[in-house]
Amino acid sequence: MISRKITKTISSVPSRGGDGAEVIYSLRNNDTLAKRITNEIAKTGQNVRKYFQRRLPSNPSKDYYYLLRDTPNNETLIVEYGFADSSGDDVSMIKNNWEELAEAVVRALALYIGVPYDGPTGSNYYTVKSGDTLWKIANANNTSVDAIKKANNLTSNSLTVGQVLLLPSDDTTQSTNTYTVKTGDSLWKIANQYNMTVSALKQLNNLTSDSLQVGQVLKVKDSGTSSNPTSPSNTYTVVSGDSLYKIANRFGVSVSDIMLANNLSNSNLSIGQKLVIPSNTSNNVYTVVSGDSLYKIAQRFNTSVQAIQRLNNLNTTSLSIGQKLLIPNS
């Protein structure tokens, strides 16, 4: 049995014109738990403003909030999940995803006190154990290292025992075939044959280079299952400030695909240059329905909120029923 002081959290929804979640921790405690809570809330797709302390103006040695001052024997925090008068998507996040937001705090607490996190039935979270690696976890859960890193905003492959990871749902194996490499094959040639991008083919097979060997077996998407290929245009005229990276992001394809389609040997562009934009069959088209949020849609398609926003040039996470979204295929 673990013996430690009870950690007390108070949840609230403030109303003062802001946007995003905040965590206020007491002056007597450090920021470790507050930081973990904000990290877990961020995984739900909710914006996070900050975690902070606030002092009483009349006595700076005391906490500003009565709830924090009045529980001196406990580690106490105030978790504000969003703003009731937010001009962003706080209201819809709280209304539609309150369970995920609350569960984020539970995960953070489990991680903080060093106990395994047992999520709700059917949840897709994993608690890191001794000897685990991202590669090992990805293989055991039928996903990829990159997908796990994207889902958890990880910038390295380092893990800590007790860390809670969100496992992206991955239905890839249900819609893949295999292809055996022949003489003269290239990743670009195989990707085109199966209506994929080179980057998607490499990710599906965990390839780190473009080299292939005759007889090598690759996983490929079943071309009969690809959904709604859409590309905003077949050609694009370069304008001032453009780069291959910007153009690739705009059309939801990879830089290498554009270079291959236009026989480019480098990334230099000139204003007025005409570029062929390869057909983007790696993106789905999704129509927003009642109750949707970018977070829910991202989870459904095994991608990130930021990737959907970037592909659709969205400046906010607000959605409208009937809205058409391009969904990047991870």
Side-chain angles (χ1 to χ4, degrees):
M1 177 180 291
I2 297 176
S3 175
R4 57 178 70 238
K5 293 180 180 178
I6 297 172
T7 298
K8 185 175 182 181
T9 63
I10 300 100
S11 303
S12 68
V13 182
S15 175
R16 57 177 185 273
D19 183 72
E22 297 181 336
V23 178
I24 305 103
Y25 62 101
S26 66
L27 298 177
R28 61 186 171 276
N29 299 125
N30 61 38
D31 65 358
T32 303
L33 179 55
K35 183 177 181 180
R36 285 178 175 169
I37 289 175
T38 54
N39 287 341
E40 293 302 318
I41 288 177
K43 291 180 186 179
T44 70
Q46 170 64 312
N47 299 323
V48 174
R49 286 164 57 90
K50 58 184 175 179
Y51 53 92
F52 63 100
Q53 296 171 315
R54 189 173 181 186
R55 298 176 183 273
L56 187 66
S58 60
N59 188 347
S61 67
K62 293 184 177 182
D63 283 293
Y64 177 86
Y65 294 99
Y66 174 79
L67 289 170
L68 300 181
R69 294 199 310 269
D70 196 45
T71 53
N73 297 320
N74 300 315
E75 181 164 355
T76 308
L77 305 96
I78 298 174
V79 180
E80 298 182 340
Y81 292 109
F83 288 77
D85 57 354
S86 166
S87 58
D89 66 340
D90 280 9
V91 176
S92 61
M93 277 293 296
I94 295 166
K95 178 181 178 182
N96 299 322
N97 301 308
W98 62 270
E99 290 175 310
E100 289 95 335
L101 293 170
E103 199 65 33
V105 176
V106 176
R107 292 196 305 272
L109 285 171
L111 178 61
Y112 181 63
I113 64 177
V115 300
Y117 168 70
D118 295 322
T121 303
S123 68
N124 52 342
Y125 288 94
Y126 177 82
T127 302
V128 176
K129 303 187 297 293
S130 178
D132 274 339
T133 64
L134 280 178
W135 182 84
K136 188 175 179 182
I137 296 169
N139 273 4
N141 291 277
N142 193 31
T143 186
S144 69
V145 170
D146 286 343
I148 294 177
K149 291 176 71 173
K150 184 189 299 182
N152 293 275
N153 297 316
L154 302 179
T155 56
S156 75
N157 293 337
S158 300
L159 297 174
T160 56
V161 174
Q163 182 176 354
V164 179
L165 296 175
L166 170 63
L167 296 176
S169 57
D170 189 354
D171 298 323
T172 300
T173 56
Q174 299 175 11
S175 58
T176 58
N177 292 323
T178 58
Y179 176 84
T180 303
V181 176
K182 303 187 297 291
T183 301
D185 274 340
S186 66
L187 284 178
W188 181 81
K189 186 176 179 181
I190 298 168
N192 270 4
Q193 182 177 337
Y194 287 92
N195 293 325
M196 301 175 66
T197 64
V198 171
S199 57
L201 182 59
K202 290 175 71 173
Q203 184 173 357
L204 185 59
N205 291 276
N206 294 317
L207 301 178
T208 56
S209 75
D210 293 342
S211 300
L212 294 175
Q213 295 180 337
V214 174
Q216 182 177 353
V217 178
L218 298 175
K219 292 179 181 179
V220 292
K221 290 270 186 171
D222 184 346
S223 58
T225 63
S226 62
S227 27
N228 295 330
T230 2
S231 180
S233 177
N234 291 322
T235 60
Y236 177 78
T237 304
V238 177
V239 298
S240 178
D242 269 342
S243 68
L244 280 180
Y245 173 77
K246 283 184 178 180
I247 297 169
N249 271 357
R250 184 177 307 158
F251 289 97
V253 297
S254 68
V255 169
S256 59
D257 286 341
I258 294 179
M259 292 181 69
L260 283 168
N262 293 273
N263 294 315
L264 301 178
S265 57
N266 58 54
S267 58
N268 295 331
L269 297 175
S270 56
I271 296 174
Q273 181 178 353
K274 300 283 187 181
L275 292 177
V276 174
I277 306 298
S279 296
N280 185 356
T281 56
S282 66
N283 291 329
N284 299 312
V285 176
Y286 179 78
T287 303
V288 177
V289 297
S290 178
D292 270 342
S293 68
L294 279 181
Y295 169 73
K296 284 186 175 179
I297 297 169
Q299 287 293 96
R300 184 177 308 157
F301 288 94
N302 189 29
T303 185
S304 68
V305 170
Q306 293 79 11
I308 296 176
Q309 287 182 297
R310 184 168 58 245
L311 184 56
N312 292 273
N313 294 318
L314 301 178
N315 296 320
T316 73
T317 52
S318 299
L319 297 175
S320 57
I321 296 173
Q323 182 177 353
K324 301 284 187 182
L325 294 176
L326 282 175
I327 308 296
N329 190 332
S330 59

